[in-house]
Amino acid sequence: MAQALLQIDLSALQANWRALDARSEPGIETAATVKANGYGLGAGHVAHALAHAGARRFFVAIAEEGLAVRAAIGPDLPVHVYGGHMEGDARILHEAGLIPMLNSVEQLTRHLEALPGHPFGIQLDSGMNRLGMEPAEWASVAQIVLAQNPVLLMSHLACADETGHPMNAAQLAQFVEMTEGTGAPRSLAATGGVLLGPDYHFEITRPGIGLYGGAPFADARAVVRLSIPVIQIREVLQGESVGYGNSFIAPRDMRVATIAAGYADGIQRALSGRATLWAGDIACPLVGRVSMDLLTVDVSAAPEPPEWLDLLGPHQGIDDLADVIGTIGYEILTGLGQRYARHYL
Ligand SMILES: *Cc1c(COP(=O)(O)O)cnc(C)c1O
């Protein structure tokens, strides 16, 4: 079998949710962000496991993503949509019982016309300038909105992974100014906001990346392991080339393993010549270019010819791999391809 194996540790996911939940006071609800197919790990599996751990509320990015989550958790728990209510969403919002987080007066109008009486929340812009109503826009409709009992008022922090960044306090102050005294439940904190402390927690937190084992939640347990089978091993003599473009020339005689995954599996081509794989505890450098279905790896340091090499595992987490090419763990996770055998533990 030449199918790489992606192991997804749902008990680690659950432990991460409990650990983040424990960072806020007991009365504060810890929801879960499961957008982008549960950060690439399978929204249904992830949501089901988190509901078992105690999560009672979920967030997705677009309405279509809510279907898999709804199917996994049953009819009762709220599922919110960050993207709000877009043209054509009414049916899916209604049928899957999703709660749009309305981002503008335009979305508010659309929602009240298309689905009167259907629950909604409001997303406010506290300074990030990405989604949500601006302060003046909110002021113009707040009274009307509040009379309709929005289920949640939320905003999102731009710099929550940088503890000392002045933007955090500025956004907090703006959010408080926009929501204080409304009586509606509030949410400001994703993973970074949970870690910033109680001022940022309000009634509901909604972490994502920390659940999946990523920074900035330093105490997270790793959730994924990616093991790639060796197809063949050859001796490469000093001066011979390996792979496309002859980009690697062997500086000495070496043993090179060709393994069954490549950029089609989300292993970015930018990792060419830069990544490290692991044969158990032995570091083995990737040599030459990442191709579509294959990687070539110098396994000379391994005492036995390995049958599998780990790209993600105990020696290299998602953020370690991300650092090699200047990206973030979020992108590593959500880029994981569809060709892996996915085993849920
Ligand atoms: C993605 C997202 C989250 C979750 O953020 P993490 O950094 O993954 O915890 C929360 N809120 C909004 C609006 C988001 O887009």
Side-chain angles (χ1 to χ4, degrees):
M1 182 181 94
Q3 192 179 27
L5 175 61
L6 183 66
Q7 287 177 284
I8 298 164
D9 185 346
L10 295 175
S11 63
L13 174 85
Q14 291 173 320
N16 290 337
W17 183 84
R18 289 193 198 97
L20 284 167
D21 185 43
R23 297 294 179 104
S24 57
E25 291 295 314
I28 293 167
E29 179 181 346
T30 301
T33 295
V34 297
K35 63 192 180 186
N37 191 30
Y39 287 48
L41 302 185
H45 288 94
V46 160
H48 186 259
L50 291 171
H52 271 270
R56 287 291 164 269
R57 184 182 303 271
F58 295 86
F59 289 84
V60 295
I62 67 171
E64 287 77 4
E65 291 181 333
L67 290 174
V69 176
R70 176 58 72 215
I73 62 172
D76 298 330
L77 303 177
V79 178
H80 299 249
V81 181
Y82 291 134
H85 187 150
M86 296 288 285
E87 188 80 54
D89 279 352
R91 190 176 149 156
I92 194 164
L93 293 171
H94 172 70
E95 286 179 1
L98 309 175
I99 304 172
M101 300 303 301
L102 305 174
N103 288 295
S104 61
V105 171
E106 184 190 7
Q107 287 201 344
L108 175 68
T109 308
R110 177 182 297 130
H111 184 73
L112 296 178
E113 282 174 2
L115 293 176
H118 182 100
F120 66 92
I122 298 285
Q123 184 158 194
L124 300 169
D125 177 36
S126 55
M128 186 177 184
N129 283 308
R130 193 179 65 167
L131 281 179
M133 294 188 194
E134 301 260 333
E137 190 181 12
W138 170 236
S140 71
V141 293
Q143 268 196 316
I144 303 164
V145 167
L146 292 169
Q148 312 243 4
N149 296 316
V151 300
L152 184 64
L153 305 180
M154 65 163 275
S155 188
H156 193 49
L157 297 167
C159 304
D161 57 341
E162 296 175 58
T163 321
H165 201 296
M167 183 68 164
N168 295 321
Q171 286 194 263
L172 174 61
Q174 181 66 63
F175 185 60
V176 167
E177 190 176 318
M178 291 168 89
T179 59
E180 198 69 343
T182 58
R186 294 182 284 180
S187 176
L188 182 60
T191 303
V194 172
L195 303 175
L196 287 177
D199 288 352
Y200 291 83
H201 294 167
F202 296 93
E203 283 74 38
I204 295 170
T205 66
R206 40 174 223 279
I209 192 67
L211 305 173
Y212 309 94
F217 186 30
D219 297 339
R221 277 175 56 185
V223 173
V224 293
R225 178 173 192 149
L226 177 57
S227 306
I228 305 170
V230 174
I231 299 178
Q232 68 173 148
I233 295 182
R234 74 185 67 246
E235 304 298 327
V236 172
L237 300 179
Q238 180 180 15
E240 289 188 327
S241 64
V242 178
Y244 280 125
N246 289 6
S247 70
F248 181 78
I249 307 291
R252 55 190 149 69
D253 294 356
M254 57 173 56
R255 233 175 314 137
V256 171
T258 302
I259 68 174
Y263 60 74
D265 302 289
I267 301 167
Q268 295 177 45
R269 193 165 171 279
L271 288 164
S272 295
R274 304 180 68 184
T276 302
L277 291 96
W278 294 83
D281 295 329
I282 312 285
C284 300
L286 179 67
V287 296
R289 287 195 189 151
V290 172
S291 51
M292 186 185 293
D293 317 303
L294 299 166
L295 306 172
T296 39
V297 185
D298 173 9
V299 295
S300 307
E304 301 289 328
E307 292 180 13
W308 295 85
L309 292 170
D310 285 344
L311 183 62
L312 296 169
H315 292 289
Q316 183 164 258
I318 55 174
D319 292 294
D320 302 318
L321 185 62
D323 284 345
V324 174
I325 49 172
T327 182
I328 52 177
Y330 299 73
E331 193 178 26
I332 299 294
L333 280 180
T334 56
L336 290 168
Q338 294 307 311
R339 189 158 53 178
Y340 302 123
R342 290 171 175 240
H343 287 194
Y344 291 88
L345 308 178

